[in-house]
């Protein structure tokens, strides 16, 4: 279940994965310069409309926002799009690499 703490952590994680400052993100979604920082510090919570702006800015869906198994969903989307033109053998090789990275 998502709560304010989890929401703040997830927002911070996704923003940092995109390598953007809280200030830059705040201004880019049409808010004051401390807006994202206030959410990440649990001093504010976005409206539904602002949540959709945040998702648009991060180039992810609301579902991807709440999927904490994916640390960088926007990068995963890029990979999926790029992989569409690969041959079956190339896809197998990439899958093998991913599975090797998952081994601990």
């Amino acid at each position: 279940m998502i709560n304010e703490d989890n929401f703040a952590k997830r927002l911070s994680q996704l923003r940092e994965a995109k390598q953007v400052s809280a200030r830059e993100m705040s201004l880019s979604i049409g808010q004051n310069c401390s807006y994202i920082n206030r959410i990440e510090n649990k001093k504010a919570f976005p409206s539904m409309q602002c949540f959709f702006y945040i998702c648009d800015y991060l180039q992810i869906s609301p579902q991807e926002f709440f999927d904490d198994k994916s640390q960088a969903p926007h990068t995963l989307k890029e990979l999926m799009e790029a992989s569409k033109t690969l041959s079956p053998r190339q896809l197998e090789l990439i899958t093998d690499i991913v599975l090797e990275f998952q081994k601990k």
Side-chain angles (χ1 to χ4, degrees), residues 17-81:
K18 196 164 173 78
Q19 299 180 343
V20 64
S21 71
R23 182 181 196 284
E24 180 182 346
M25 184 174 172
S26 296
L27 295 174
S28 293
I29 64 170
Q31 299 297 318
N32 70 51
C33 63
S34 65
Y35 182 71
I36 295 298
N37 189 273
R38 289 177 42 77
I39 294 171
E40 290 179 357
N41 288 310
K42 301 173 216 132
K43 294 179 181 173
F45 201 74
S47 67
M48 187 63 74
Q49 182 177 11
C50 283
F51 171 65
F52 288 130
Y53 290 153
I54 288 168
C55 289
D56 284 344
Y57 180 81
L58 295 171
Q59 298 175 315
I60 60 172
S61 69
Q63 180 181 356
E64 290 167 321
F65 184 94
F66 294 111
D67 180 5
D68 59 357
K69 291 179 186 172
S70 177
Q71 294 183 26
H74 62 283
T75 305
L76 184 57
K77 272 186 178 180
E78 289 178 33
L79 175 62
M80 294 299 291
E81 191 61 34

Side-chain angles (χ1 to χ4, degrees), residues 91-103:
L91 289 171
E92 286 176 28
L93 291 170
I94 289 173
T95 301
D96 290 343
I97 291 168
V98 170
L99 293 174
E100 186 64 32
F101 280 137
Q102 289 179 329
K103 292 180 183 176

